Amino acid sequence: SNLLLSSGTLTPAFGFATTSYTATVPYSVTSLAVTPFPSDWNSSIQVNGTAVAGATASSPIALSIGANIITTTVTAQDLATSKIYTVTVTRPPSNNTDLSNLGLSNGTLTPAFSSGTTAYTATVAKSIASITVTPTVADATAAVKVNGATVASGSASLPISLTVGANIITATVTAQDGVSTKTYTATVTRSALNENADLS
């Protein structure tokens, strides 16, 4: 008489004569439960092959990225008549493009790093001819490139040569969905002044 999902909404709205449905959940939903309500309480119900009592939630069903087919089989009291209701639940890939950290081998980011801030500056001494950047993605399914070269999350990039003056370094994050991107920019200024204060 009804079929409820712990997350998502059935499309079309439930009707006992309709046996095929779809639903969409956010990426953050990794599992859901199904609660079936029989028209005849003498019938028996299985969700994905596991017995479930009427008006009782099934055990959580793990959701992979993409389409997940969940079946609810109702067997009448005569044990010969049955009906299968199918729900195709779609879990989309992540669209998280945030970094959780961005580190420099020399210099300090200004302002202090925040995932919502994408533009930074830093200053290094004239003696610093190169720098490495260590980006860490907030979502492990995302990928990141530093100045166009792929870097493993939490690992240092290859050394980036610095000229005297401003050097723009980019860290571009591409989400699991392959479409969503965000670019963080650090403008690293290498001083033109010689910091050598030694006597010879």
Side-chain angles (χ1 to χ4, degrees), residues 76-184:
Q77 187 179 26
D78 66 7
L79 302 181
T81 307
S82 63
K83 182 182 285 187
I84 298 175
Y85 294 85
T86 301
V87 183
T88 301
V89 180
T90 299
R91 180 186 172 211
S94 172
N95 63 356
N96 189 334
T97 56
D98 287 343
L99 288 178
S100 61
N101 198 19
L102 185 64
L104 304 179
S105 59
N106 283 280
T108 302
L109 290 179
T110 300
F113 181 81
S114 170
S115 61
T117 302
T118 57
Y120 299 88
T121 60
T123 301
V124 298
K126 184 179 180 180
S127 60
I128 304 299
S130 67
I131 198 172
T132 62
V133 176
T134 302
T136 303
V137 295
D139 186 329
T141 65
V144 61
K145 291 183 177 182
V146 173
N147 280 8
T150 299
V151 176
S153 175
S155 298
S157 67
L158 294 173
I160 300 166
S161 296
L162 298 177
T163 59
V164 170
N167 299 264
I168 297 176
I169 300 173
T170 60
T172 301
V173 183
T174 301
Q176 185 184 34
D177 65 11
V179 177
S180 305
T181 63
K182 181 187 287 186
T183 298
Y184 293 81

